[in-house]
Amino acid sequence: MTTTNSLQQAFLQTAYPIGGHGKRNIQVLKEVLNHYADELDSDQYGKGKVIEDFQAEMAAFFGKESAVFFPSGTMAQQIALRIWCDAKGIKRVAYHPLCHLEIHEEDGLKQLHQIEAVLLTDKDKLIRLEDVRELKEDIACLLLELPQREIGGQLPAYEELEAISSYCREKGIKLHLDGARLLEILPYYQRSAAEICALFDSVYMSFYKGIGGIAGAVLAGDEAFTEESKIWKRRHGGDLISLYPYILSAEYYFKQRQTKMGQYYEEAKELAKRYNHCHAVETLPLLPVTNMFHVHIHVPKEELEAILIAMYETCGVGLTAYLRESDESSCSFEVSLGDRYGHIPKQVLSDAFEWLDLTLRARSE
């Protein structure tokens, strides 16, 4: 019987895997290093031209006073919330039930910083102004994730963001942006990063997700905030003697892909249409608002694995390397488009999705 491992193996052998930018192998770093002089000095413990220049570039991009490069977003965001809690004298923050800090970090915020989390709204909904207004507890900071990854990369209306920002400022609540995929939201909102970040007191962005760098993140805000974040970065062990492989890959791929997010977004809408034309398949959202969305297929997981493996072997197109079981009769997976999708011939895609549609229809007859 097929297994998840065999699905992954079949995916890796396809000629046309759909998502992402490409394989995460040593070539990712080799390509970067070929564009820099051998004489370039490394950073040392958070100082040096290579890190300081890049931090200044990112601060300007966000429209903030200052920015700090971190080895991980997990570290950066816990530190951001700790700073705001200390400033307010309240060890309590609010965020979505499916926030990264809540479901992927082994309770790091609670265990390392003794910060309590208030979960706003239902897990399948976006945070709205009314959710913030109805808060019963005092909080130091509200975290908003844009896009909300675990529910298909959904986004609130920009007017809703403005209203939440105004309310938080009126009430003295700090507003932090989990902008791990910040670049990906710019085409939908039709605004610059600086315009969006102006609504927030602090902002984090990842360099390995949509941008495709090796690892690393940036945290930005006013000068006092970032200076304190450097102290906490040292306390967390984030001041490695050198971070330049991460910094250089972040800088290189940021410049490579910063202007491509509109293309990825349009391609995501095109791809979602293909999925939604297939029997027993629907996307969330129905019309994507970024280059990311979720695909839900009303077929039991084990049965769908066998279908996808056959599709990969027959058509050479790889949709996903994993499936997440929703219930006994359906499962889902995430799609995030990058450079790969644009290189797939349209006819190959059409043939693959026609095969999938016919196969899914045949099983239900």
Side-chain angles (χ1 to χ4, degrees), residues 300-321:
K301 181 173 180 284
E302 192 171 298
E303 185 179 349
L304 184 57
E305 284 176 353
I307 290 172
L308 291 181
I309 289 171
M311 175 188 170
Y312 297 173
E313 293 172 349
T314 303
C315 306
V317 173
L319 303 184
T320 182

Side-chain angles (χ1 to χ4, degrees), residues 78 81 93 95 101 107-115:
Q78 288 185 23
L81 298 187
V93 298
Y95 49 58
L101 287 97
D107 284 338
L109 188 68
K110 301 164 190 173
Q111 296 297 324
L112 298 178
H113 299 282
Q114 293 75 53
I115 292 174

Side-chain angles (χ1 to χ4, degrees), residues 78 169 211:
Q78 288 185 23
R169 284 177 180 164
I211 291 170

Side-chain angles (χ1 to χ4, degrees), residues 127-130 132-133 142 144 156-171 175 199-200:
I127 292 174
R128 304 291 187 189
L129 175 61
E130 63 190 60
V132 187
R133 285 184 179 277
L142 169 65
L144 294 182
Y158 194 73
E159 293 72 23
E160 185 97 41
L161 286 182
E162 291 180 310
I164 292 172
S165 177
S166 294
Y167 179 81
C168 286
R169 284 177 180 164
E170 176 189 332
K171 298 297 182 180
L175 189 58
L199 302 176
F200 295 83

Side-chain angles (χ1 to χ4, degrees), residues 20-63:
H21 300 299
K23 291 183 177 180
R24 288 185 61 81
N25 55 24
I26 194 68
Q27 184 58 38
V28 173
L29 180 57
K30 289 173 71 175
E31 181 179 335
V32 171
L33 295 181
N34 286 336
H35 287 78
Y36 292 91
D38 294 346
E39 296 77 21
L40 180 65
D41 289 332
S42 72
D43 57 304
Q44 288 196 29
Y45 296 117
K47 298 188 182 299
K49 182 176 174 58
V50 69
I51 189 170
E52 291 167 4
D53 285 357
F54 185 55
Q55 288 174 162
E57 288 175 24
M58 296 315 303
F61 177 73
F62 294 133

